[in-house]
Amino acid sequence: MSSAPVFLVDSLAHAEPGAPLTLDGPEGRHAVAVRRLRVGEELVLSDGAGRGALGRVAEVVGRDRLAVTVLERRQEPEPTPRITVVQALPKGDRGELAVSTMTETGVDAVVPWAAARCVTQWKGERGAKALAKWRAAAREAAKQARRLRVPEVAEPLTTAGVARLLAEADFAGVLHETATLPLATAELPTSGSLVLVVGPEGGVTDAELAAFATAGAAGYRLGPTVLRTSTAGPAATALLLGRTARWG
């Protein structure tokens, strides 16, 4: 039996068992026209911030609206330690792929980084559209993974901004192909925040490495092979989750 599909709503403040709710707008249209949900079928409504409600379709109202009866409330606890990946901007749609895969894996936040060697640059309207695509990828992947928490996709940061983020973390690291320390043996805190930087295809510059080292971030390697920037983040997220109680 397949799991109930997840749909995002603005609020679940009144989602008590037995209460009626309405799913409409783009999510309602997707439920009716794409998922073809019918009366009696179950679904999960989520506010994307850890709160959810298992419900049953009471009525299909037109092409874009469902009347739902709440069966039970659900809560996804705050993750600890919290994992943030600083992702250098890749070419094409690889950024969206990275965000989607990291979300399915279990990342908690993604920070776009305009590294010196990034071929892609987010400027003006183009940057706003690219950021919107990353955020949409996180939302859709969270629904696919049955997560009640949609990872935050932050505004893009400069190298100085990333350094400040690293300085505030309980664990800070930079994936770098010439690093000798394996991420698999790094000492990790059991709570707090883990922040890991994934560089661009062209690599992290000496100046960027120096800035991050000053902020307390050591260089780490994943393994003997060099991964694309769009796959390094998901691989590192899985490794960190496996070494904490998150996947225990």
Side-chain angles (χ1 to χ4, degrees):
M1 182 177 178
S2 60
S3 301
V6 176
F7 299 91
L8 294 172
V9 294
D10 292 333
S11 174
L12 288 170
H14 305 292
E16 298 296 336
L21 294 178
T22 299
L23 179 65
D24 54 13
E27 290 288 86
R29 189 175 306 112
H30 184 77
V32 174
V34 180
R35 297 303 300 255
R36 298 185 181 278
L37 294 184
R38 296 294 179 257
V39 173
E41 292 189 274
E42 293 184 352
L43 72 168
V44 173
L45 303 180
S46 167
D47 66 357
R51 290 174 291 275
L54 175 66
R56 180 176 289 124
V57 178
E59 183 182 3
V60 179
V61 186
R63 299 179 179 179
D64 61 356
R65 182 175 299 182
L66 292 176
V68 178
T69 301
V70 176
L71 301 178
E72 64 180 46
R73 290 181 67 92
R74 292 183 174 179
Q75 184 76 30
E76 191 173 294
E78 285 276 2
T80 184
R82 178 178 168 85
I83 298 174
T84 296
V85 172
V86 176
Q87 175 67 60
L89 307 179
K91 294 181 291 185
D93 60 358
R94 291 177 185 166
E96 295 159 55
L97 174 62
V99 170
S100 179
T101 310
M102 284 190 284
T103 297
E104 292 177 17
T105 305
V107 79
D108 302 300
V110 179
V111 179
W113 172 38
R117 290 176 177 163
C118 286
V119 174
T120 299
Q121 296 295 325
W122 286 4
K123 295 180 180 180
E125 185 178 349
R126 178 183 180 183
K129 288 182 178 179
L131 180 59
K133 287 182 178 180
W134 281 33
R135 288 173 171 167
R139 288 194 300 272
E140 292 306 311
K143 290 158 57 177
Q144 172 67 30
R146 308 298 195 268
R147 292 182 62 172
L148 298 184
R149 291 184 181 274
V150 177
E152 174 193 2
V153 179
E155 293 289 329
L157 291 182
T158 61
T159 296
V162 173
R164 288 191 292 271
L165 183 66
L166 292 169
E168 297 170 354
D170 296 290
F171 170 84
V174 182
L175 292 183
H176 193 256
E177 61 188 53
T178 63
T180 57
L181 295 174
L183 185 62
T185 60
E187 287 192 29
L188 302 177
T190 57
S191 61
S193 61
L194 315 182
V195 180
L196 194 65
V197 177
V198 176
E201 301 288 3
V204 184
T205 67
D206 291 341
E208 290 167 339
L209 286 174
F212 298 158
T214 299
Y220 293 96
R221 61 177 174 82
L222 277 175
T225 59
V226 178
L227 279 66
R228 286 185 180 274
T229 185
S230 54
T231 51
T237 298
L239 189 154
L240 292 175
L241 286 165
R243 294 195 58 227
T244 66
R246 297 275 298 272
W247 275 8

